[in-house]
Amino acid sequence: GQNIDQPTEMTATEGAIVQINCTYQTSGFNGLFWYQQHAGEAPTFLSYNVLDGLEEKGRFSSFLSRSKGYSYLLLKELQMKDSASYLCAVKGDYKLSFGAGTTVTVRA
Amino acid sequence: GAGVSQSPSNKVTEKGKDVELRCDPISGHTALYWYRQRLGQGLEFLIYFQGNSAPDKSGLPSDRFSAERTGESVSTLTIQRTQQEDSAVYLCASSSLPGQGNIQYFGAGTRLSVL
């Protein structure tokens, strides 16, 4: 079975940093994805980790520890447009198994 | 097309009616997936198509749900005799290959409301 946990909600101030944690227990592992989803819109790809370590992409970074079943998404220099739901997903053979998503609210 | 296209964007139906949801994947993408997103919950896998291979239907919640895809083009998800618990957003995604690391690109979904 698949079990993917992430916090339900987080609030942060514009310009600040927020870290969204994701822990997983899955029967197979071929990588971990982070998606961003604004209300009523399609989830959009943010990052992919398959090896341990940090992947940096502009203001967004993602970290993976396979031995701990743990990942985080780091959002720096928060902007109002970053208010959205962030989805952690683990890839088995070809399917993605998703967490329930973390709603991030950025306040001025 | 430029992205994954789904129609309709919203569908309101009465309990017991059949509905058909459509997905146009990104041109050239061989893999197509359907997911369901209930309010406050994570996306649930429903079905996967890869080229002309037999689809993986392991996520379909009941025999009222079925899906078809012709070749590497449009897919339709059909829900027969809809129930109120079928109310959700139905998302379609496509990818160029099903292998490791291939990104799934999502459509904006069809919001289904069963009254």
Side-chain angles (χ1 to χ4, degrees), chain A residues 30 33 35 37 40-43 45 48 50 87 91 93-96 98-100, chain B residues 33 35 37 40 42-43 45 48 56 58 98-104 106-108:
Chain A
N30 274 312
F33 291 77
Y35 282 84
Q37 186 179 26
E41 296 183 12
F45 169 77
Y48 167 68
V50 67
L87 313 178
K91 188 169 188 177
D93 39 10
Y94 43 80
K95 297 179 236 183
L96 291 178
F98 284 83
Chain B
Y33 314 76
Y35 293 87
Q37 187 174 31
L43 278 70
F45 167 80
Y48 160 70
D56 176 355
S58 61
Q100 185 171 351
N102 281 95
I103 300 166
Q104 293 183 24
F106 284 84

Side-chain angles (χ1 to χ4, degrees), chain B residues 27-46:
Chain B
S27 178
H29 279 192
T30 59
L32 186 147
Y33 314 76
W34 283 97
Y35 293 87
R36 178 170 69 178
Q37 187 174 31
R38 287 175 159 153
L39 192 64
Q41 297 184 22
L43 278 70
E44 304 169 67
F45 167 80
L46 296 177

Side-chain angles (χ1 to χ4, degrees), chain A residues 36-44, chain B residues 37 89 91 106-109 111:
Chain A
Q36 180 191 60
Q37 186 179 26
H38 286 99
E41 296 183 12
T44 54
Chain B
Q37 187 174 31
V89 177
L91 289 160
F106 284 84
R111 182 174 298 279

Side-chain angles (χ1 to χ4, degrees), chain B residues 2-52:
Chain B
V4 178
S5 177
Q6 292 187 245
S7 61
S9 53
N10 284 282
K11 177 72 176 178
V12 180
T13 190
E14 293 179 350
K15 179 181 171 181
K17 301 278 189 182
D18 297 352
V19 295
E20 192 171 276
L21 313 180
R22 177 187 170 107
C23 173
D24 278 278
I26 293 172
S27 178
H29 279 192
T30 59
L32 186 147
Y33 314 76
W34 283 97
Y35 293 87
R36 178 170 69 178
Q37 187 174 31
R38 287 175 159 153
L39 192 64
Q41 297 184 22
L43 278 70
E44 304 169 67
F45 167 80
L46 296 177
I47 188 169
Y48 160 70
F49 295 91
Q50 169 53 37
N52 294 318

